[in-house]
């Protein structure tokens, strides 16, 4: 129990005097691709801070349809509901790419929030950026083509994962984009035609990030810029180096 350092960029934004005693209360766990950490309405027993990988908050409709409403990597935490005082999960949490995560019991987390105005303020600013991302997703789903939305989502995954090879299946992407698998396949082929990506089985390779940004247009960028303004560096090494 307890860790001494972390790759989570949200926790790294804390001053050392705030971060070190908090890390002593965490344990490091390994989450696996495809794992569902909680479903809608489940009690929030833990708060997680990913150090690698990618996960998605997925809204589940009454007829069983699923649509992603937020994704998280080492820049963030799950679940922000705990920061805002909720005790049950509003969405399903699915791990898309596994990796090490830090976790802390919800009770201990809330005690830490009460003791530290700096931590509380940081996580409220983070919750603000998450709400901006949800707003951008709603706008994208209503006003942008599937190709534009796919470009945005690949950029979001690229921000959070190491390297240019993204382990993403067409089935996962159909949930992320709230569309049929066949439509995702056509959109992937379109982005390949532009030279923005290369697709292989269960793998998307980013070839031209600048082209993806052009294709995504205004659907991508505002929430990420707000994170950098309020918290600190957002993108992973590969995404930052490729513009």
């Amino acid at each position: 129990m307890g860790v001494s350092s972390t790759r989570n960029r949200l926790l790294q934004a804390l001053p050392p005097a705030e971060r070190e005693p908090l890390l002593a209360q965490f344990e490091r766990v390994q989450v696996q691709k495809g794992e569902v950490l909680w479903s809608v309405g489940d009690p929030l027993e833990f708060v997680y801070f990913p150090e690698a990988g990618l996960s998605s908050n997925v809204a589940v409709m009454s007829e069983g349809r699923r649509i992603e409403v937020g994704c998280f990597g080492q820049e963030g935490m799950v679940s922000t509901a705990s920061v805002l005082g909720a005790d049950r999960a509003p969405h399903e949490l699915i791990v898309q790419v596994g990796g090490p995560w830090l976790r802390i019991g919800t009770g201990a987390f809330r005690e830490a929030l009460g003791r530290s105005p700096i931590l509380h303020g940081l996580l409220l600013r983070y919750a603000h950026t998450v709400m901006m991302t949800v707003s951008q997703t709603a706008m994208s789903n209503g006003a942008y083509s599937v190709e534009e939305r796919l470009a945005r989502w690949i950029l979001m995954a690229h921000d959070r994962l190491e390297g240019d090879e993204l382990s993403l299946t067409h089935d996962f992407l159909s949930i992320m984009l709230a569309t049929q698998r066949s439509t995702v396949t056509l959109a992937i082929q379109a982005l390949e035609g532009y030279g923005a990506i290369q697709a292989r089985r269960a793998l998307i390779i980013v070839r031209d990030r600048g082209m993806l940004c052009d294709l995504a247009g205004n659907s991508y960028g505002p929430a990420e810029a707000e994170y950098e303004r309020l918290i600190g560096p957002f993108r992973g090494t590969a995404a930052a180096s490729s513009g």
Side-chain angles (χ1 to χ4, degrees):
M1 188 73 174
V3 298
S4 59
S5 63
T6 182
R7 295 177 62 196
N8 179 275
R9 291 197 287 278
L10 190 54
L11 292 174
Q12 287 175 347
L14 287 168
E18 297 279 337
R19 182 174 62 246
E20 291 168 5
L22 182 62
L23 289 178
Q25 300 182 69
F26 281 97
E27 63 176 331
R28 185 171 281 118
V29 296
Q30 189 77 20
V31 300
Q32 306 296 327
K33 180 177 181 178
E35 188 174 354
V36 178
L37 291 187
W38 54 65
S39 298
V40 177
D42 284 353
L44 293 170
E45 298 178 357
F46 295 98
V47 175
Y48 295 88
F49 289 80
E51 295 186 299
L54 182 69
S55 67
S56 293
N57 264 350
V58 176
V60 182
M61 304 178 197
S62 58
E63 67 274 21
R65 289 185 59 208
R66 287 169 165 76
I67 180 171
E68 187 204 52
V69 293
C71 67
F72 308 89
Q74 64 182 170
E75 89 297 339
M77 64 165 292
V78 287
S79 162
T80 51
S82 297
V83 178
L84 301 175
D87 61 353
R88 293 188 179 272
H91 304 113
E92 187 175 77
L93 180 66
I94 302 176
V95 178
Q96 296 195 48
V97 179
W101 287 17
L102 298 183
R103 76 177 185 183
I104 182 173
T106 301
F109 173 74
R110 287 184 176 144
E111 289 177 6
L113 281 182
R115 289 193 302 267
S116 173
I118 292 175
L119 174 65
H120 196 192
L122 172 69
L123 296 184
L124 286 177
R125 294 194 300 276
Y126 172 69
H128 164 68
T129 68
V130 170
M131 287 186 281
M132 283 191 65
T133 301
V134 172
S135 298
Q136 289 287 124
T137 298
M139 180 191 73
S140 299
N141 289 343
Y144 286 78
S145 70
V146 174
E147 289 83 4
E148 291 166 327
R149 287 155 50 202
L150 177 61
R152 172 183 182 255
W153 202 89
I154 292 173
L155 286 166
M156 292 171 68
H158 193 227
D159 286 340
R160 291 163 171 84
L161 295 172
E162 297 293 331
D164 295 325
E165 296 188 355
L166 313 179
S167 179
L168 304 169
T169 67
H170 289 205
D171 288 333
F172 254 135
L173 288 170
S174 68
I175 294 175
M176 300 309 101
L177 300 174
T179 192
Q180 296 179 343
R181 190 182 188 281
S182 58
T183 304
V184 169
T185 299
L186 292 174
I188 288 173
Q189 291 171 351
L191 266 58
E192 280 192 292
Y194 288 117
I197 64 169
Q198 179 182 353
R200 297 178 183 170
R201 183 175 176 84
L203 189 70
I204 300 289
I205 303 170
V206 175
R207 293 300 189 199
D208 188 336
R209 183 179 169 92
M211 175 62 73
L212 286 171
C213 289
D214 290 342
L215 291 168
N218 292 330
S219 70
Y220 170 82
E224 291 77 11
E226 188 75 341
Y227 182 104
E228 296 207 341
R229 185 180 76 85
L230 294 175
I231 297 171
F234 178 81
R235 289 185 279 164
T237 305
S241 64
S242 57

